[in-house]
Amino acid sequence: MPTMTRYRRRWAALAVLLVAEAMNLLDATIVQVAGPAIHVDLPGPAVDIPWFSAAYTLPFAVFLITGGRLGDIFGRARVFRIGVTGFVLASLVCALSGTAGLLIGARAVQGAAAALIIPQTIGLIRALFDGDELAKALGSIGPVMGLSAVTGPLLGGLLTQAVSWRAVFLVNVPLGLAVLFAARLLQEDRAAVRPRLDLAGTVLVVAGAGLLVYPLIDPAGTNRWLLAAGAALLVVFGFQQRGAAAPLVEPSLFAHRGFPAALAGSLLFFAVMTGLMQVVPMQLQLGLGVDVRTAGLTLLPLSAGLAVSSWFAGARLVPKFGARVMFAGLALLPAGILAAVAGYAFGGRGYPWPLLGALALCGLGMGTFTVPFFTAALHRVRPHETGSAAGLLNAVQQLGGTLGVALLGGLYLGTGTATAALGVGAGLAVAAAVAVIPLSSGSTRPGE
């Protein structure tokens, strides 16, 4: 029998994992453009629109680390298949939903299922490859994640315009069934020593994060007291982790100020990035009456800018300048957001053509930031902390996206204008630049 690292169908198995990862990450952004069209078809309060996205990303974020632990205990291939099955069934319910409440509930199940799938990817890849092949296989994850994130809104707009918003979810059914069928290529893998589940920590982080997000989406502001309750629960979670026998988060990660700074920067940056991609399509469709396809295409300059700058930063800037490149990105991003504000202010009631250039500038900032940021964030992480650090960064990234949708989307719905929401987004980008200052000390160039 061949060893796992010489498994002859390992590259086909990798393709299965990457398709599943793309399917799940697409769903985190694909509804942002389709949201207003869904709202027209499933009448309810306008506050439902940001929930179509947040209901997915919130459970995705808070269950990611627990999902990884379940793979360690019960087998990563088995948990992967369970997650894909749940995702397909939830997608079908989303597509057939007759009310906004049912859709939001099904989206939450989708997010929880995604949290079972995504953490298994790295573990299964490590079981399939080693040496230079392992580095090449792991390196394929980044482009898939980036491409999924930036094409989601565009695909959502095109599918909604050409067919229906229901196609946004139905497309997951044949794709997910194909992944399930091909999952036979995966070899089972689990941790040598089974960890225990931290159920108390999971409950605390789920409740705390939920209480933080819910009042931010409410434009009436009647439940702001829940923010304090959510923050208090997250503080309790922090203390609970210090004494837990099997903590969700490796406590030693916080021994150096660099990693907490990375978490704060990730939370703020992805709040801006995801919130911006929520507010712009909402304003175009609800405020200016633009069709859903045009709203999706409007985000194309942002996607193009992100793709180009990610490549240029990785190939040219980071090897030469190291972590300092982050600050160039976080200068371009608020500049682009303020340019978008000006485009709305002087664009009248017609289509805001200056917005295209502003979004391209935002995309350039995003790509210039993300490449050096993730390099710097994991620079001082020790080998035994890598899994926990990567899982926590991923979870905080998704939580930041959820908060961005809630905060900026809620501000737009509360004010009826994109100006206030985008202004707050620019402020959060500046705060992210301040937060990541500790990451700039020391070298993060390759080989150093």
mmCIF file of all heavy atoms in Angstrom, residues 254-293:
data_model
loop_
_atom_site.group_PDB
_atom_site.id
_atom_site.type_symbol
_atom_site.label_atom_id
_atom_site.label_comp_id
_atom_site.label_asym_id
_atom_site.label_seq_id
_atom_site.Cartn_x
_atom_site.Cartn_y
_atom_site.Cartn_z
ATOM 1 N N PHE A 254 -0.051 34.881 23.185
ATOM 2 C CA PHE A 254 -0.214 36.248 23.665
ATOM 3 C C PHE A 254 0.956 36.707 24.532
ATOM 4 O O PHE A 254 0.901 37.764 25.144
ATOM 5 C CB PHE A 254 -1.530 36.364 24.441
ATOM 6 C CG PHE A 254 -2.729 36.098 23.577
ATOM 7 C CD1 PHE A 254 -3.227 34.814 23.434
ATOM 8 C CD2 PHE A 254 -3.345 37.130 22.894
ATOM 9 C CE1 PHE A 254 -4.316 34.557 22.615
ATOM 10 C CE2 PHE A 254 -4.440 36.880 22.069
ATOM 11 C CZ PHE A 254 -4.923 35.590 21.935
ATOM 12 N N ALA A 255 2.017 35.898 24.557
ATOM 13 C CA ALA A 255 3.190 36.272 25.339
ATOM 14 C C ALA A 255 3.941 37.435 24.706
ATOM 15 O O ALA A 255 4.649 38.177 25.384
ATOM 16 C CB ALA A 255 4.113 35.071 25.505
ATOM 17 N N HIS A 256 3.814 37.595 23.395
ATOM 18 C CA HIS A 256 4.468 38.697 22.683
ATOM 19 C C HIS A 256 3.395 39.600 22.109
ATOM 20 O O HIS A 256 2.378 39.128 21.615
ATOM 21 C CB HIS A 256 5.363 38.151 21.566
ATOM 22 C CG HIS A 256 6.209 39.189 20.913
ATOM 23 N ND1 HIS A 256 5.721 40.024 19.912
ATOM 24 C CD2 HIS A 256 7.499 39.560 21.112
ATOM 25 C CE1 HIS A 256 6.686 40.850 19.525
ATOM 26 N NE2 HIS A 256 7.768 40.582 20.223
ATOM 27 N N ARG A 257 3.614 40.893 22.158
ATOM 28 C CA ARG A 257 2.573 41.836 21.735
ATOM 29 C C ARG A 257 2.293 41.787 20.232
ATOM 30 O O ARG A 257 1.267 42.280 19.771
ATOM 31 C CB ARG A 257 2.968 43.258 22.114
ATOM 32 C CG ARG A 257 4.241 43.750 21.424
ATOM 33 C CD ARG A 257 4.544 45.190 21.754
ATOM 34 N NE ARG A 257 5.702 45.681 21.021
ATOM 35 C CZ ARG A 257 5.948 46.951 20.769
ATOM 36 N NH1 ARG A 257 5.097 47.874 21.190
ATOM 37 N NH2 ARG A 257 7.029 47.317 20.118
ATOM 38 N N GLY A 258 3.151 41.144 19.462
ATOM 39 C CA GLY A 258 2.967 41.112 18.018
ATOM 40 C C GLY A 258 1.709 40.380 17.597
ATOM 41 O O GLY A 258 0.981 40.836 16.718
ATOM 42 N N PHE A 259 1.414 39.222 18.219
ATOM 43 C CA PHE A 259 0.258 38.459 17.772
ATOM 44 C C PHE A 259 -1.064 39.134 18.151
ATOM 45 O O PHE A 259 -1.979 39.189 17.320
ATOM 46 C CB PHE A 259 0.303 37.027 18.292
ATOM 47 C CG PHE A 259 -0.691 36.130 17.617
ATOM 48 C CD1 PHE A 259 -0.500 35.709 16.312
ATOM 49 C CD2 PHE A 259 -1.849 35.737 18.266
ATOM 50 C CE1 PHE A 259 -1.424 34.907 15.670
ATOM 51 C CE2 PHE A 259 -2.785 34.929 17.641
ATOM 52 C CZ PHE A 259 -2.571 34.514 16.331
ATOM 53 N N PRO A 260 -1.225 39.645 19.380
ATOM 54 C CA PRO A 260 -2.446 40.416 19.659
ATOM 55 C C PRO A 260 -2.619 41.598 18.704
ATOM 56 O O PRO A 260 -3.743 41.932 18.312
ATOM 57 C CB PRO A 260 -2.251 40.888 21.108
ATOM 58 C CG PRO A 260 -1.352 39.870 21.712
ATOM 59 C CD PRO A 260 -0.427 39.457 20.605
ATOM 60 N N ALA A 261 -1.501 42.234 18.333
ATOM 61 C CA ALA A 261 -1.579 43.334 17.369
ATOM 62 C C ALA A 261 -2.081 42.826 16.017
ATOM 63 O O ALA A 261 -2.867 43.490 15.335
ATOM 64 C CB ALA A 261 -0.211 43.993 17.210
ATOM 65 N N ALA A 262 -1.634 41.623 15.638
ATOM 66 C CA ALA A 262 -2.088 41.037 14.374
ATOM 67 C C ALA A 262 -3.586 40.753 14.418
ATOM 68 O O ALA A 262 -4.302 40.991 13.437
ATOM 69 C CB ALA A 262 -1.317 39.745 14.091
ATOM 70 N N LEU A 263 -4.080 40.268 15.551
ATOM 71 C CA LEU A 263 -5.510 39.991 15.675
ATOM 72 C C LEU A 263 -6.322 41.278 15.577
ATOM 73 O O LEU A 263 -7.352 41.330 14.891
ATOM 74 C CB LEU A 263 -5.803 39.287 17.001
ATOM 75 C CG LEU A 263 -5.207 37.892 17.179
ATOM 76 C CD1 LEU A 263 -5.591 37.328 18.542
ATOM 77 C CD2 LEU A 263 -5.668 36.954 16.075
ATOM 78 N N ALA A 264 -5.854 42.334 16.257
ATOM 79 C CA ALA A 264 -6.569 43.612 16.205
ATOM 80 C C ALA A 264 -6.551 44.185 14.788
ATOM 81 O O ALA A 264 -7.580 44.665 14.276
ATOM 82 C CB ALA A 264 -5.936 44.608 17.186
ATOM 83 N N GLY A 265 -5.392 44.115 14.133
ATOM 84 C CA GLY A 265 -5.298 44.619 12.768
ATOM 85 C C GLY A 265 -6.172 43.839 11.811
ATOM 86 O O GLY A 265 -6.827 44.411 10.930
ATOM 87 N N SER A 266 -6.206 42.511 11.977
ATOM 88 C CA SER A 266 -7.037 41.672 11.117
ATOM 89 C C SER A 266 -8.515 41.990 11.306
ATOM 90 O O SER A 266 -9.269 42.119 10.333
ATOM 91 C CB SER A 266 -6.775 40.193 11.422
ATOM 92 O OG SER A 266 -7.562 39.359 10.610
ATOM 93 N N LEU A 267 -8.935 42.129 12.553
ATOM 94 C CA LEU A 267 -10.338 42.443 12.846
ATOM 95 C C LEU A 267 -10.756 43.748 12.174
ATOM 96 O O LEU A 267 -11.791 43.827 11.502
ATOM 97 C CB LEU A 267 -10.537 42.540 14.360
ATOM 98 C CG LEU A 267 -11.974 42.746 14.831
ATOM 99 C CD1 LEU A 267 -12.746 41.442 14.783
ATOM 100 C CD2 LEU A 267 -11.987 43.311 16.251
ATOM 101 N N LEU A 268 -9.923 44.788 12.330
ATOM 102 C CA LEU A 268 -10.260 46.104 11.790
ATOM 103 C C LEU A 268 -10.190 46.124 10.265
ATOM 104 O O LEU A 268 -11.084 46.664 9.595
ATOM 105 C CB LEU A 268 -9.317 47.154 12.376
ATOM 106 C CG LEU A 268 -9.469 47.413 13.878
ATOM 107 C CD1 LEU A 268 -8.271 48.193 14.416
ATOM 108 C CD2 LEU A 268 -10.763 48.163 14.166
ATOM 109 N N PHE A 269 -9.142 45.527 9.704
ATOM 110 C CA PHE A 269 -8.989 45.566 8.254
ATOM 111 C C PHE A 269 -10.122 44.836 7.550
ATOM 112 O O PHE A 269 -10.707 45.349 6.584
ATOM 113 C CB PHE A 269 -7.643 44.964 7.847
ATOM 114 C CG PHE A 269 -7.497 44.795 6.361
ATOM 115 C CD1 PHE A 269 -7.172 45.875 5.561
ATOM 116 C CD2 PHE A 269 -7.719 43.563 5.758
ATOM 117 C CE1 PHE A 269 -7.056 45.734 4.178
ATOM 118 C CE2 PHE A 269 -7.600 43.410 4.387
ATOM 119 C CZ PHE A 269 -7.269 44.503 3.599
ATOM 120 N N PHE A 270 -10.429 43.632 8.002
ATOM 121 C CA PHE A 270 -11.471 42.866 7.315
ATOM 122 C C PHE A 270 -12.865 43.411 7.605
ATOM 123 O O PHE A 270 -13.784 43.179 6.812
ATOM 124 C CB PHE A 270 -11.348 41.384 7.649
ATOM 125 C CG PHE A 270 -10.201 40.736 6.932
ATOM 126 C CD1 PHE A 270 -9.009 40.485 7.592
ATOM 127 C CD2 PHE A 270 -10.297 40.426 5.593
ATOM 128 C CE1 PHE A 270 -7.936 39.913 6.929
ATOM 129 C CE2 PHE A 270 -9.232 39.862 4.908
ATOM 130 C CZ PHE A 270 -8.043 39.600 5.578
ATOM 131 N N ALA A 271 -13.011 44.148 8.695
ATOM 132 C CA ALA A 271 -14.270 44.866 8.903
ATOM 133 C C ALA A 271 -14.451 45.929 7.820
ATOM 134 O O ALA A 271 -15.540 46.093 7.261
ATOM 135 C CB ALA A 271 -14.293 45.506 10.291
ATOM 136 N N VAL A 272 -13.362 46.636 7.506
ATOM 137 C CA VAL A 272 -13.422 47.652 6.446
ATOM 138 C C VAL A 272 -13.657 47.007 5.092
ATOM 139 O O VAL A 272 -14.544 47.412 4.329
ATOM 140 C CB VAL A 272 -12.118 48.484 6.409
ATOM 141 C CG1 VAL A 272 -12.175 49.515 5.293
ATOM 142 C CG2 VAL A 272 -11.880 49.169 7.742
ATOM 143 N N MET A 273 -12.875 45.992 4.778
ATOM 144 C CA MET A 273 -12.939 45.363 3.466
ATOM 145 C C MET A 273 -14.332 44.788 3.193
ATOM 146 O O MET A 273 -14.950 45.059 2.149
ATOM 147 C CB MET A 273 -11.886 44.252 3.374
ATOM 148 C CG MET A 273 -11.891 43.493 2.059
ATOM 149 S SD MET A 273 -10.532 42.284 2.027
ATOM 150 C CE MET A 273 -10.874 41.446 0.480
ATOM 151 N N THR A 274 -14.860 44.000 4.130
ATOM 152 C CA THR A 274 -16.156 43.356 3.917
ATOM 153 C C THR A 274 -17.298 44.358 4.027
ATOM 154 O O THR A 274 -18.274 44.280 3.272
ATOM 155 C CB THR A 274 -16.352 42.213 4.928
ATOM 156 O OG1 THR A 274 -15.182 41.396 4.954
ATOM 157 C CG2 THR A 274 -17.547 41.356 4.559
ATOM 158 N N GLY A 275 -17.168 45.295 4.964
ATOM 159 C CA GLY A 275 -18.209 46.322 5.094
ATOM 160 C C GLY A 275 -18.321 47.181 3.850
ATOM 161 O O GLY A 275 -19.425 47.537 3.418
ATOM 162 N N LEU A 276 -17.177 47.513 3.249
ATOM 163 C CA LEU A 276 -17.177 48.297 2.016
ATOM 164 C C LEU A 276 -17.879 47.538 0.893
ATOM 165 O O LEU A 276 -18.686 48.114 0.141
ATOM 166 C CB LEU A 276 -15.729 48.610 1.619
ATOM 167 C CG LEU A 276 -15.496 49.399 0.328
ATOM 168 C CD1 LEU A 276 -16.028 50.813 0.469
ATOM 169 C CD2 LEU A 276 -14.009 49.424 -0.020
ATOM 170 N N MET A 277 -17.606 46.243 0.790
ATOM 171 C CA MET A 277 -18.214 45.438 -0.263
ATOM 172 C C MET A 277 -19.693 45.160 0.003
ATOM 173 O O MET A 277 -20.401 44.667 -0.864
ATOM 174 C CB MET A 277 -17.437 44.129 -0.412
ATOM 175 C CG MET A 277 -16.007 44.351 -0.903
ATOM 176 S SD MET A 277 -14.965 42.866 -0.835
ATOM 177 C CE MET A 277 -15.675 41.897 -2.148
ATOM 178 N N GLN A 278 -20.159 45.476 1.224
ATOM 179 C CA GLN A 278 -21.585 45.385 1.529
ATOM 180 C C GLN A 278 -22.294 46.701 1.224
ATOM 181 O O GLN A 278 -23.363 46.730 0.605
ATOM 182 C CB GLN A 278 -21.775 45.050 3.013
ATOM 183 C CG GLN A 278 -23.218 45.047 3.499
ATOM 184 C CD GLN A 278 -23.976 43.803 3.070
ATOM 185 O OE1 GLN A 278 -23.463 42.699 3.116
ATOM 186 N NE2 GLN A 278 -25.219 43.972 2.655
ATOM 187 N N VAL A 279 -21.696 47.811 1.645
ATOM 188 C CA VAL A 279 -22.352 49.122 1.539
ATOM 189 C C VAL A 279 -22.455 49.583 0.090
ATOM 190 O O VAL A 279 -23.493 50.125 -0.327
ATOM 191 C CB VAL A 279 -21.595 50.163 2.383
ATOM 192 C CG1 VAL A 279 -22.090 51.576 2.081
ATOM 193 C CG2 VAL A 279 -21.772 49.854 3.868
ATOM 194 N N VAL A 280 -21.405 49.386 -0.698
ATOM 195 C CA VAL A 280 -21.418 49.890 -2.076
ATOM 196 C C VAL A 280 -22.562 49.288 -2.899
ATOM 197 O O VAL A 280 -23.342 50.029 -3.522
ATOM 198 C CB VAL A 280 -20.048 49.657 -2.759
ATOM 199 C CG1 VAL A 280 -20.133 49.931 -4.260
ATOM 200 C CG2 VAL A 280 -18.990 50.559 -2.133
ATOM 201 N N PRO A 281 -22.737 47.950 -2.930
ATOM 202 C CA PRO A 281 -23.888 47.412 -3.688
ATOM 203 C C PRO A 281 -25.242 47.839 -3.118
ATOM 204 O O PRO A 281 -26.191 48.072 -3.885
ATOM 205 C CB PRO A 281 -23.709 45.895 -3.565
ATOM 206 C CG PRO A 281 -22.276 45.695 -3.261
ATOM 207 C CD PRO A 281 -21.881 46.869 -2.432
ATOM 208 N N MET A 282 -25.347 47.968 -1.781
ATOM 209 C CA MET A 282 -26.606 48.420 -1.187
ATOM 210 C C MET A 282 -26.956 49.830 -1.639
ATOM 211 O O MET A 282 -28.097 50.123 -2.006
ATOM 212 C CB MET A 282 -26.516 48.351 0.345
ATOM 213 C CG MET A 282 -26.581 46.952 0.914
ATOM 214 S SD MET A 282 -26.280 46.916 2.706
ATOM 215 C CE MET A 282 -27.683 47.827 3.314
ATOM 216 N N GLN A 283 -25.960 50.719 -1.600
ATOM 217 C CA GLN A 283 -26.201 52.104 -1.994
ATOM 218 C C GLN A 283 -26.568 52.194 -3.480
ATOM 219 O O GLN A 283 -27.469 52.936 -3.874
ATOM 220 C CB GLN A 283 -24.959 52.955 -1.703
ATOM 221 C CG GLN A 283 -24.944 54.341 -2.339
ATOM 222 C CD GLN A 283 -26.002 55.278 -1.762
ATOM 223 O OE1 GLN A 283 -26.753 54.909 -0.872
ATOM 224 N NE2 GLN A 283 -26.065 56.494 -2.272
ATOM 225 N N LEU A 284 -25.877 51.427 -4.312
ATOM 226 C CA LEU A 284 -26.158 51.473 -5.749
ATOM 227 C C LEU A 284 -27.575 50.996 -6.049
ATOM 228 O O LEU A 284 -28.283 51.603 -6.865
ATOM 229 C CB LEU A 284 -25.149 50.607 -6.504
ATOM 230 C CG LEU A 284 -23.716 51.146 -6.587
ATOM 231 C CD1 LEU A 284 -22.776 50.092 -7.151
ATOM 232 C CD2 LEU A 284 -23.661 52.415 -7.424
ATOM 233 N N GLN A 285 -28.007 49.903 -5.395
ATOM 234 C CA GLN A 285 -29.309 49.324 -5.708
ATOM 235 C C GLN A 285 -30.454 50.019 -4.965
ATOM 236 O O GLN A 285 -31.474 50.347 -5.566
ATOM 237 C CB GLN A 285 -29.299 47.828 -5.378
ATOM 238 C CG GLN A 285 -28.367 47.028 -6.282
ATOM 239 C CD GLN A 285 -28.294 45.575 -5.883
ATOM 240 O OE1 GLN A 285 -29.194 44.788 -6.143
ATOM 241 N NE2 GLN A 285 -27.202 45.196 -5.227
ATOM 242 N N LEU A 286 -30.284 50.228 -3.661
ATOM 243 C CA LEU A 286 -31.361 50.823 -2.884
ATOM 244 C C LEU A 286 -31.416 52.342 -3.044
ATOM 245 O O LEU A 286 -32.495 52.934 -3.076
ATOM 246 C CB LEU A 286 -31.191 50.478 -1.395
ATOM 247 C CG LEU A 286 -31.220 48.987 -1.032
ATOM 248 C CD1 LEU A 286 -31.023 48.810 0.465
ATOM 249 C CD2 LEU A 286 -32.520 48.343 -1.486
ATOM 250 N N GLY A 287 -30.245 52.967 -3.143
ATOM 251 C CA GLY A 287 -30.211 54.424 -3.201
ATOM 252 C C GLY A 287 -30.307 55.002 -4.595
ATOM 253 O O GLY A 287 -30.925 56.046 -4.807
ATOM 254 N N LEU A 288 -29.689 54.318 -5.574
ATOM 255 C CA LEU A 288 -29.617 54.867 -6.930
ATOM 256 C C LEU A 288 -30.407 54.057 -7.954
ATOM 257 O O LEU A 288 -30.473 54.449 -9.117
ATOM 258 C CB LEU A 288 -28.150 54.968 -7.373
ATOM 259 C CG LEU A 288 -27.244 55.853 -6.494
ATOM 260 C CD1 LEU A 288 -25.808 55.819 -7.014
ATOM 261 C CD2 LEU A 288 -27.754 57.282 -6.446
ATOM 262 N N GLY A 289 -30.973 52.925 -7.537
ATOM 263 C CA GLY A 289 -31.801 52.135 -8.440
ATOM 264 C C GLY A 289 -31.038 51.396 -9.512
ATOM 265 O O GLY A 289 -31.599 51.029 -10.554
ATOM 266 N N VAL A 290 -29.762 51.145 -9.285
ATOM 267 C CA VAL A 290 -28.939 50.413 -10.252
ATOM 268 C C VAL A 290 -29.315 48.932 -10.219
ATOM 269 O O VAL A 290 -29.644 48.385 -9.169
ATOM 270 C CB VAL A 290 -27.446 50.608 -9.905
ATOM 271 C CG1 VAL A 290 -26.567 49.683 -10.720
ATOM 272 C CG2 VAL A 290 -27.045 52.060 -10.139
ATOM 273 N N ASP A 291 -29.270 48.234 -11.365
ATOM 274 C CA ASP A 291 -29.607 46.811 -11.376
ATOM 275 C C ASP A 291 -28.480 46.001 -10.749
ATOM 276 O O ASP A 291 -27.348 46.455 -10.611
ATOM 277 C CB ASP A 291 -29.902 46.323 -12.801
ATOM 278 C CG ASP A 291 -28.691 46.413 -13.715
ATOM 279 O OD1 ASP A 291 -27.788 45.569 -13.596
ATOM 280 O OD2 ASP A 291 -28.647 47.348 -14.545
ATOM 281 N N VAL A 292 -28.805 44.760 -10.387
ATOM 282 C CA VAL A 292 -27.885 43.939 -9.606
ATOM 283 C C VAL A 292 -26.634 43.572 -10.396
ATOM 284 O O VAL A 292 -25.537 43.482 -9.837
ATOM 285 C CB VAL A 292 -28.627 42.681 -9.096
ATOM 286 C CG1 VAL A 292 -29.084 41.801 -10.245
ATOM 287 C CG2 VAL A 292 -27.759 41.889 -8.136
ATOM 288 N N ARG A 293 -26.748 43.373 -11.709
ATOM 289 C CA ARG A 293 -25.559 43.048 -12.507
ATOM 290 C C ARG A 293 -24.584 44.217 -12.525
ATOM 291 O O ARG A 293 -23.377 44.023 -12.362
ATOM 292 C CB ARG A 293 -25.966 42.676 -13.936
ATOM 293 C CG ARG A 293 -24.776 42.318 -14.821
ATOM 294 C CD ARG A 293 -25.229 41.898 -16.211
ATOM 295 N NE ARG A 293 -25.999 42.946 -16.871
ATOM 296 C CZ ARG A 293 -26.614 42.787 -18.032
ATOM 297 N NH1 ARG A 293 -26.567 41.620 -18.644
ATOM 298 N NH2 ARG A 293 -27.296 43.781 -18.577
#
